[in-house]
Amino acid sequence: MEIQQLTENAISLLKRLIETQSFSSEEDKTALLIENWFTSHNIPFTRTKNNVWATNKYFDESKPTMLLNSHHDTVKPNSAYTNDPFEAFVEDGKLFGLGSNDAGGCLVSLMATFTHFYQQKDLKYNLVIVASAEEESSGPNGLNSMLAIIPHIDVAIVGEPTLMNLAVAEKGLVVFDAVVEGTPSHAAHPNNNNSIYNSIEVLQWFKDFKFDKTSKALGDVKMTVTQIKAGSQHNVVPAHVDLVVDVRVNDAYSNQEIADILQENSPCTKITPRSLKLNSSAISVEHDLVKAGIAMGRETYGSPTLSDQACLTCQSLKLGPGDSTRSHSANEFIYVAEIEEGIEIYVELLNRVIG
């Protein structure tokens, strides 16, 4: 099918996706729309829960396999929306609607690209596409659950809004629950071990602490205290202060190393990681995908935001139409021209690497 027709079909599908609620773990109706795309293009597919996936027609187990992936779940719209988040409309070249930028534009562009290559013979790579669920919530039934089901993956393109520049690395994430303890007492009595006052020094430690290793692509590890909870009434000094600490991990550290450093060095009574599964990820700048992208004039950078790359162990490239700064914003939009350009760049990139 001609690229122009695939592009028109992709934009039409994106409008239908926007107008169909698909909060994380509630993607059953958008999964049906994705099924309908494959059915209408005569592509056999499999649905596993709310993940829909397919392989190219001439899949050959002797060849390496490339994953094309993006997600069809969304966050809930924030309260600052003035548009109807479930109304897809175009104004001044912008296609508005919840999930348009994150990551509907990427998903439909990759689906169009996969469809373009589906029937081609003698590709250097097999192609597997997964339209995945539960990305926004890092849930148990998303891409992570598919890796034991789909064929073994050697390299991946993960569709997230990057302005079609090459995110050659992505920071991982570890969220910690930390406790600062003190002596509980009546507020009227002296207390030199007030947990809230003790937390001042602890907060300063988190603010000032620097991890030694930096990364060429991702820079420094970024650690931020994001939540504080203490006390239940005005006349009681609480026994402890609970903190939540968000750590964005570069590719110079494993998540376990970050946990070990904080547990050995932080002044908290206790600091515990919620999960160590959301790892940093990267692709070599010498990989054919990156070299081809650079030859096409695309820039490389390291991404501070998390995606489904975190569950992949193979090399992976984050690349997609749209702008990450629009994600989760009120009156979210993607330019129609970004989708058109995105499909063109995806197709040219794969032509150079797998054609």
Side-chain angles (χ1 to χ4, degrees):
M1 184 177 292
E2 294 293 334
I3 296 296
Q4 182 178 351
Q5 185 60 57
L6 278 172
T7 302
E8 292 175 4
N9 292 354
I11 293 169
S12 178
L13 172 60
L14 178 53
K15 291 176 180 177
R16 294 195 296 274
L17 290 171
I18 289 168
E19 293 177 345
T20 305
Q21 180 177 303
S22 57
F23 302 145
S24 292
S25 304
E26 301 175 14
E27 311 95 341
D28 52 304
K29 292 182 176 61
T30 48
L32 285 173
L33 294 175
I34 294 163
E35 288 184 29
N36 290 341
W37 168 282
F38 289 123
T39 299
S40 66
H41 292 91
N42 299 312
I43 297 174
F45 65 88
T46 302
R47 176 168 171 176
T48 306
K49 294 188 176 178
N50 289 330
N51 304 280
V52 185
W53 63 281
T55 61
N56 62 302
K57 184 173 183 178
Y58 297 101
F59 189 96
D60 182 345
E61 291 184 357
S62 68
K63 296 179 180 180
T65 297
M66 181 183 297
L67 170 68
L68 306 180
N69 164 251
S70 192
H71 63 95
H72 59 105
D73 63 315
T74 73
V75 296
K76 294 183 178 180
N78 69 53
S79 60
Y81 261 87
T82 57
N83 300 332
D84 179 349
F86 300 107
E87 179 187 1
F89 66 96
V90 178
E91 186 176 282
D92 297 328
K94 301 173 182 177
L95 173 53
F96 287 89
L98 181 66
S100 56
N101 181 79
D102 182 17
C106 301
L107 175 62
V108 300
S109 296
L110 283 172
M111 290 174 64
T113 301
F114 174 84
T115 303
H116 172 74
F117 284 98
Y118 171 71
Q119 296 199 58
Q120 291 192 26
K121 297 181 179 180
D122 301 320
L123 297 175
K124 295 176 183 176
Y125 281 78
N126 300 310
L127 291 177
V128 176
I129 187 165
V130 178
S132 55
E134 297 192 9
E135 190 273 348
E136 296 291 2
S137 62
S138 299
N141 298 311
L143 180 63
N144 51 355
S145 70
M146 298 300 299
L147 299 179
I149 296 172
I150 63 176
H152 172 78
I153 302 301
D154 297 283
V155 68
I157 296 176
V158 176
E160 290 284 339
T162 70
L163 293 170
M164 292 309 292
N165 287 316
L166 312 169
V168 296
E170 174 188 277
K171 283 188 173 179
L173 170 65
V174 187
V175 177
F176 291 87
D177 292 299
V179 179
V180 181
E181 291 188 342
T183 301
S185 70
H186 194 293
H189 298 154
N191 186 342
N192 293 323
N193 191 30
N194 183 316
S195 61
I196 293 178
Y197 292 160
N198 292 346
S199 70
I200 296 172
E201 181 179 343
V202 173
L203 292 170
Q204 191 65 47
W205 185 89
F206 280 113
K207 182 178 179 182
D208 294 341
F209 185 83
K210 302 294 182 186
F211 293 90
D212 293 333
K213 299 178 186 178
T214 192
S215 162
K216 183 177 180 181
L218 293 172
D220 296 334
V221 174
K222 187 175 188 301
M223 181 163 62
T224 309
V225 177
T226 56
Q227 292 177 260
I228 301 175
K229 181 180 180 182
S232 59
Q233 58 192 72
H234 77 90
N235 58 351
V236 177
V237 175
H240 57 86
V241 175
D242 297 320
L243 307 177
V244 176
V245 185
D246 178 295
V247 184
R248 303 290 166 152
V249 184
N250 65 22
D251 53 349
Y253 292 93
S254 69
N255 287 357
Q256 184 63 60
E257 288 174 320
I258 294 293
D260 292 343
I261 289 169
L262 292 184
Q263 288 174 335
E264 290 171 11
N265 294 281
S266 82
C268 299
T269 309
K270 181 169 64 174
I271 182 164
T272 307
R274 294 181 180 178
S275 170
L276 298 174
K277 294 180 180 180
L278 301 176
N279 297 291
S280 62
S281 54
I283 187 170
S284 169
V285 293
E286 296 302 317
H287 195 283
D288 287 346
L289 276 174
V290 179
K291 291 196 290 186
I294 292 172
M296 291 165 58
R298 312 318 298 177
E299 297 179 358
T300 62
Y301 74 104
S303 173
T305 57
L306 200 68
S307 74
D308 268 336
Q309 279 184 285
C311 68
L312 298 173
T313 56
C314 64
Q315 295 193 79
S316 56
L317 174 68
K318 185 156 68 177
L319 174 68
D323 187 338
S324 179
T325 62
R326 300 184 209 132
S327 299
H328 305 182
S329 63
N331 300 335
E332 180 183 348
F333 71 88
I334 188 169
Y335 286 99
V336 173
E338 289 176 330
I339 300 170
E340 295 167 345
E341 179 192 48
I343 294 171
E344 290 176 1
I345 291 174
Y346 277 145
V347 169
E348 182 180 350
L349 181 68
L350 292 192
N351 272 329
R352 290 178 181 229
V353 175
I354 73 171

Short mmCIF file of all heavy atoms in Angstrom, two decimals, residues 3-39:
data_model
loop_
_atom_site.label_atom_id
_atom_site.label_comp_id
_atom_site.label_asym_id
_atom_site.label_seq_id
_atom_site.Cartn_x
_atom_site.Cartn_y
_atom_site.Cartn_z
N ILE A 3 2.47 4.82 0.76
CA ILE A 3 2.72 5.49 2.04
C ILE A 3 1.65 6.55 2.32
O ILE A 3 1.19 6.69 3.46
CB ILE A 3 4.12 6.13 2.05
CG1 ILE A 3 5.21 5.05 1.94
CG2 ILE A 3 4.33 6.94 3.33
CD1 ILE A 3 5.26 4.09 3.09
N GLN A 4 1.24 7.27 1.29
CA GLN A 4 0.25 8.32 1.50
C GLN A 4 -1.06 7.75 2.04
O GLN A 4 -1.66 8.29 2.98
CB GLN A 4 -0.01 9.09 0.20
CG GLN A 4 -1.01 10.23 0.37
CD GLN A 4 -1.23 11.01 -0.92
OE1 GLN A 4 -0.51 10.83 -1.90
NE2 GLN A 4 -2.22 11.90 -0.91
N GLN A 5 -1.51 6.62 1.48
CA GLN A 5 -2.75 6.01 1.94
C GLN A 5 -2.60 5.46 3.34
O GLN A 5 -3.49 5.59 4.20
CB GLN A 5 -3.17 4.89 0.98
CG GLN A 5 -4.52 4.27 1.32
CD GLN A 5 -5.66 5.27 1.28
OE1 GLN A 5 -5.89 5.90 0.26
NE2 GLN A 5 -6.37 5.44 2.40
N LEU A 6 -1.45 4.83 3.63
CA LEU A 6 -1.20 4.33 4.98
C LEU A 6 -1.20 5.47 6.00
O LEU A 6 -1.70 5.33 7.11
CB LEU A 6 0.15 3.60 5.03
CG LEU A 6 0.16 2.15 4.54
CD1 LEU A 6 1.59 1.63 4.47
CD2 LEU A 6 -0.69 1.26 5.44
N THR A 7 -0.64 6.60 5.60
CA THR A 7 -0.59 7.76 6.50
C THR A 7 -2.00 8.26 6.80
O THR A 7 -2.34 8.56 7.95
CB THR A 7 0.27 8.87 5.89
OG1 THR A 7 1.59 8.36 5.65
CG2 THR A 7 0.35 10.08 6.82
N GLU A 8 -2.82 8.36 5.76
CA GLU A 8 -4.21 8.79 5.97
C GLU A 8 -4.95 7.82 6.88
O GLU A 8 -5.69 8.24 7.78
CB GLU A 8 -4.92 8.91 4.62
CG GLU A 8 -4.39 10.05 3.75
CD GLU A 8 -5.02 10.07 2.36
OE1 GLU A 8 -5.93 9.22 2.12
OE2 GLU A 8 -4.62 10.90 1.53
N ASN A 9 -4.73 6.53 6.67
CA ASN A 9 -5.37 5.52 7.52
C ASN A 9 -4.88 5.63 8.97
O ASN A 9 -5.67 5.46 9.91
CB ASN A 9 -5.06 4.12 6.99
CG ASN A 9 -5.72 3.83 5.65
OD1 ASN A 9 -6.51 4.63 5.15
ND2 ASN A 9 -5.37 2.70 5.05
N ALA A 10 -3.59 5.90 9.14
CA ALA A 10 -3.02 6.00 10.48
C ALA A 10 -3.61 7.19 11.23
O ALA A 10 -3.94 7.09 12.42
CB ALA A 10 -1.50 6.12 10.39
N ILE A 11 -3.75 8.31 10.56
CA ILE A 11 -4.32 9.49 11.21
C ILE A 11 -5.78 9.25 11.57
O ILE A 11 -6.25 9.64 12.65
CB ILE A 11 -4.15 10.73 10.31
CG1 ILE A 11 -2.65 11.08 10.18
CG2 ILE A 11 -4.93 11.93 10.86
CD1 ILE A 11 -2.34 12.10 9.11
N SER A 12 -6.50 8.57 10.69
CA SER A 12 -7.89 8.23 10.98
C SER A 12 -7.98 7.30 12.20
O SER A 12 -8.84 7.48 13.07
CB SER A 12 -8.51 7.56 9.75
OG SER A 12 -9.85 7.17 10.02
N LEU A 13 -7.07 6.32 12.28
CA LEU A 13 -7.06 5.43 13.43
C LEU A 13 -6.74 6.20 14.71
O LEU A 13 -7.39 5.97 15.74
CB LEU A 13 -6.02 4.33 13.23
CG LEU A 13 -5.76 3.42 14.44
CD1 LEU A 13 -7.04 2.69 14.86
CD2 LEU A 13 -4.64 2.43 14.14
N LEU A 14 -5.80 7.12 14.65
CA LEU A 14 -5.45 7.91 15.84
C LEU A 14 -6.66 8.68 16.36
O LEU A 14 -6.89 8.74 17.57
CB LEU A 14 -4.29 8.85 15.53
CG LEU A 14 -3.86 9.77 16.68
CD1 LEU A 14 -3.56 8.99 17.95
CD2 LEU A 14 -2.66 10.61 16.27
N LYS A 15 -7.45 9.23 15.47
CA LYS A 15 -8.65 9.95 15.91
C LYS A 15 -9.60 9.02 16.65
O LYS A 15 -10.18 9.40 17.68
CB LYS A 15 -9.34 10.59 14.69
CG LYS A 15 -8.55 11.74 14.06
CD LYS A 15 -9.23 12.27 12.81
CE LYS A 15 -8.45 13.42 12.19
NZ LYS A 15 -9.06 13.90 10.93
N ARG A 16 -9.75 7.80 16.14
CA ARG A 16 -10.65 6.85 16.81
C ARG A 16 -10.07 6.42 18.17
O ARG A 16 -10.82 6.23 19.13
CB ARG A 16 -10.90 5.64 15.92
CG ARG A 16 -11.68 5.97 14.65
CD ARG A 16 -12.24 4.73 13.98
NE ARG A 16 -11.18 3.86 13.50
CZ ARG A 16 -10.57 3.97 12.33
NH1 ARG A 16 -10.90 4.96 11.50
NH2 ARG A 16 -9.64 3.12 11.97
N LEU A 17 -8.76 6.26 18.23
CA LEU A 17 -8.13 5.91 19.50
C LEU A 17 -8.34 7.00 20.54
O LEU A 17 -8.64 6.72 21.71
CB LEU A 17 -6.63 5.66 19.30
CG LEU A 17 -6.24 4.40 18.52
CD1 LEU A 17 -4.74 4.41 18.20
CD2 LEU A 17 -6.60 3.13 19.29
N ILE A 18 -8.17 8.25 20.13
CA ILE A 18 -8.37 9.38 21.05
C ILE A 18 -9.79 9.36 21.61
O ILE A 18 -10.00 9.62 22.81
CB ILE A 18 -8.10 10.71 20.32
CG1 ILE A 18 -6.60 10.87 20.04
CG2 ILE A 18 -8.63 11.90 21.13
CD1 ILE A 18 -6.28 12.01 19.08
N GLU A 19 -10.75 9.05 20.78
CA GLU A 19 -12.16 9.13 21.17
C GLU A 19 -12.63 7.88 21.93
O GLU A 19 -13.82 7.76 22.25
CB GLU A 19 -13.01 9.39 19.93
CG GLU A 19 -12.73 10.78 19.34
CD GLU A 19 -13.49 11.09 18.07
OE1 GLU A 19 -14.03 10.13 17.47
OE2 GLU A 19 -13.54 12.27 17.68
N THR A 20 -11.69 6.98 22.23
CA THR A 20 -12.00 5.75 22.95
C THR A 20 -11.19 5.70 24.23
O THR A 20 -9.97 5.67 24.20
CB THR A 20 -11.67 4.53 22.07
OG1 THR A 20 -12.35 4.65 20.82
CG2 THR A 20 -12.11 3.24 22.76
N GLN A 21 -11.85 5.72 25.36
CA GLN A 21 -11.13 5.74 26.65
C GLN A 21 -10.23 4.52 26.78
O GLN A 21 -10.66 3.39 26.52
CB GLN A 21 -12.12 5.77 27.81
CG GLN A 21 -11.46 5.80 29.18
CD GLN A 21 -12.47 5.89 30.31
OE1 GLN A 21 -13.27 6.81 30.36
NE2 GLN A 21 -12.42 4.94 31.22
N SER A 22 -8.99 4.75 27.20
CA SER A 22 -8.04 3.63 27.32
C SER A 22 -7.05 3.90 28.45
O SER A 22 -5.84 3.84 28.25
CB SER A 22 -7.28 3.43 26.00
OG SER A 22 -6.61 4.63 25.62
N PHE A 23 -7.58 4.21 29.64
CA PHE A 23 -6.71 4.35 30.79
C PHE A 23 -5.99 3.02 31.03
O PHE A 23 -6.48 1.95 30.66
CB PHE A 23 -7.51 4.74 32.03
CG PHE A 23 -8.30 6.01 31.90
CD1 PHE A 23 -9.53 6.15 32.53
CD2 PHE A 23 -7.83 7.09 31.13
CE1 PHE A 23 -10.27 7.31 32.41
CE2 PHE A 23 -8.57 8.25 31.00
CZ PHE A 23 -9.79 8.36 31.64
N SER A 24 -4.82 3.09 31.66
CA SER A 24 -4.04 1.88 31.92
C SER A 24 -4.89 0.82 32.61
O SER A 24 -5.63 1.11 33.55
CB SER A 24 -2.85 2.22 32.80
OG SER A 24 -1.92 3.02 32.09
N SER A 25 -4.82 -0.39 32.07
CA SER A 25 -5.58 -1.57 32.50
C SER A 25 -7.03 -1.55 32.02
O SER A 25 -7.79 -2.46 32.32
CB SER A 25 -5.57 -1.74 34.03
OG SER A 25 -4.25 -1.81 34.52
N GLU A 26 -7.40 -0.52 31.23
CA GLU A 26 -8.76 -0.42 30.69
C GLU A 26 -8.70 -0.22 29.17
O GLU A 26 -9.48 0.54 28.60
CB GLU A 26 -9.50 0.74 31.35
CG GLU A 26 -9.61 0.64 32.87
CD GLU A 26 -10.24 1.86 33.50
OE1 GLU A 26 -10.85 2.68 32.78
OE2 GLU A 26 -10.13 2.01 34.74
N GLU A 27 -7.79 -0.93 28.52
CA GLU A 27 -7.52 -0.68 27.10
C GLU A 27 -8.27 -1.63 26.16
O GLU A 27 -7.93 -1.73 24.98
CB GLU A 27 -6.01 -0.81 26.80
CG GLU A 27 -5.09 -0.07 27.75
CD GLU A 27 -4.59 -0.96 28.88
OE1 GLU A 27 -5.23 -2.02 29.13
OE2 GLU A 27 -3.58 -0.61 29.50
N ASP A 28 -9.28 -2.33 26.66
CA ASP A 28 -9.91 -3.36 25.85
C ASP A 28 -10.53 -2.81 24.58
O ASP A 28 -10.48 -3.45 23.51
CB ASP A 28 -10.96 -4.11 26.67
CG ASP A 28 -11.95 -3.19 27.36
OD1 ASP A 28 -11.51 -2.31 28.12
OD2 ASP A 28 -13.16 -3.35 27.13
N LYS A 29 -11.10 -1.60 24.64
CA LYS A 29 -11.78 -1.05 23.46
C LYS A 29 -10.77 -0.54 22.42
O LYS A 29 -11.00 -0.68 21.21
CB LYS A 29 -12.75 0.05 23.87
CG LYS A 29 -13.95 -0.46 24.67
CD LYS A 29 -14.91 0.66 25.01
CE LYS A 29 -16.16 0.12 25.72
NZ LYS A 29 -15.83 -0.54 27.00
N THR A 30 -9.67 0.04 22.85
CA THR A 30 -8.66 0.46 21.88
C THR A 30 -7.95 -0.76 21.29
O THR A 30 -7.53 -0.74 20.13
CB THR A 30 -7.65 1.45 22.49
OG1 THR A 30 -7.18 0.93 23.76
CG2 THR A 30 -8.25 2.81 22.69
N ALA A 31 -7.84 -1.83 22.07
CA ALA A 31 -7.27 -3.06 21.52
C ALA A 31 -8.12 -3.56 20.35
O ALA A 31 -7.58 -4.05 19.34
CB ALA A 31 -7.16 -4.12 22.60
N LEU A 32 -9.43 -3.42 20.45
CA LEU A 32 -10.31 -3.82 19.34
C LEU A 32 -10.06 -2.98 18.09
O LEU A 32 -10.06 -3.50 16.97
CB LEU A 32 -11.77 -3.69 19.76
CG LEU A 32 -12.31 -4.77 20.71
CD1 LEU A 32 -13.71 -4.41 21.18
CD2 LEU A 32 -12.30 -6.14 20.02
N LEU A 33 -9.83 -1.68 18.28
CA LEU A 33 -9.53 -0.81 17.14
C LEU A 33 -8.24 -1.24 16.46
O LEU A 33 -8.13 -1.20 15.22
CB LEU A 33 -9.43 0.65 17.59
CG LEU A 33 -10.71 1.29 18.12
CD1 LEU A 33 -10.42 2.69 18.65
CD2 LEU A 33 -11.77 1.35 17.03
N ILE A 34 -7.26 -1.62 17.26
CA ILE A 34 -5.98 -2.06 16.70
C ILE A 34 -6.15 -3.39 15.98
O ILE A 34 -5.60 -3.61 14.89
CB ILE A 34 -4.93 -2.13 17.82
CG1 ILE A 34 -4.64 -0.72 18.34
CG2 ILE A 34 -3.65 -2.80 17.33
CD1 ILE A 34 -3.96 -0.67 19.68
N GLU A 35 -6.94 -4.29 16.57
CA GLU A 35 -7.27 -5.53 15.87
C GLU A 35 -7.88 -5.24 14.50
O GLU A 35 -7.54 -5.89 13.49
CB GLU A 35 -8.26 -6.35 16.69
CG GLU A 35 -7.69 -7.00 17.93
CD GLU A 35 -8.74 -7.88 18.61
OE1 GLU A 35 -9.62 -8.41 17.91
OE2 GLU A 35 -8.67 -8.05 19.84
N ASN A 36 -8.79 -4.27 14.47
CA ASN A 36 -9.49 -3.95 13.21
C ASN A 36 -8.50 -3.45 12.16
O ASN A 36 -8.68 -3.71 10.96
CB ASN A 36 -10.56 -2.89 13.46
CG ASN A 36 -11.73 -3.42 14.26
OD1 ASN A 36 -11.93 -4.63 14.36
ND2 ASN A 36 -12.50 -2.53 14.87
N TRP A 37 -7.48 -2.73 12.58
CA TRP A 37 -6.46 -2.28 11.63
C TRP A 37 -5.81 -3.49 10.96
O TRP A 37 -5.71 -3.56 9.73
CB TRP A 37 -5.40 -1.43 12.34
CG TRP A 37 -4.17 -1.16 11.50
CD1 TRP A 37 -3.14 -2.03 11.25
CD2 TRP A 37 -3.86 0.04 10.78
NE1 TRP A 37 -2.20 -1.44 10.44
CE2 TRP A 37 -2.62 -0.17 10.13
CE3 TRP A 37 -4.50 1.26 10.63
CZ2 TRP A 37 -2.00 0.81 9.34
CZ3 TRP A 37 -3.88 2.24 9.86
CH2 TRP A 37 -2.65 2.01 9.21
N PHE A 38 -5.35 -4.44 11.77
CA PHE A 38 -4.67 -5.60 11.20
C PHE A 38 -5.62 -6.41 10.33
O PHE A 38 -5.24 -6.88 9.25
CB PHE A 38 -4.08 -6.46 12.32
CG PHE A 38 -2.89 -5.84 12.99
CD1 PHE A 38 -2.88 -5.62 14.37
CD2 PHE A 38 -1.76 -5.47 12.27
CE1 PHE A 38 -1.78 -5.05 14.99
CE2 PHE A 38 -0.66 -4.89 12.89
CZ PHE A 38 -0.67 -4.68 14.25
N THR A 39 -6.84 -6.56 10.78
CA THR A 39 -7.82 -7.30 9.97
C THR A 39 -8.04 -6.63 8.62
O THR A 39 -8.06 -7.30 7.57
CB THR A 39 -9.15 -7.41 10.73
OG1 THR A 39 -8.94 -8.13 11.95
CG2 THR A 39 -10.19 -8.14 9.89
#
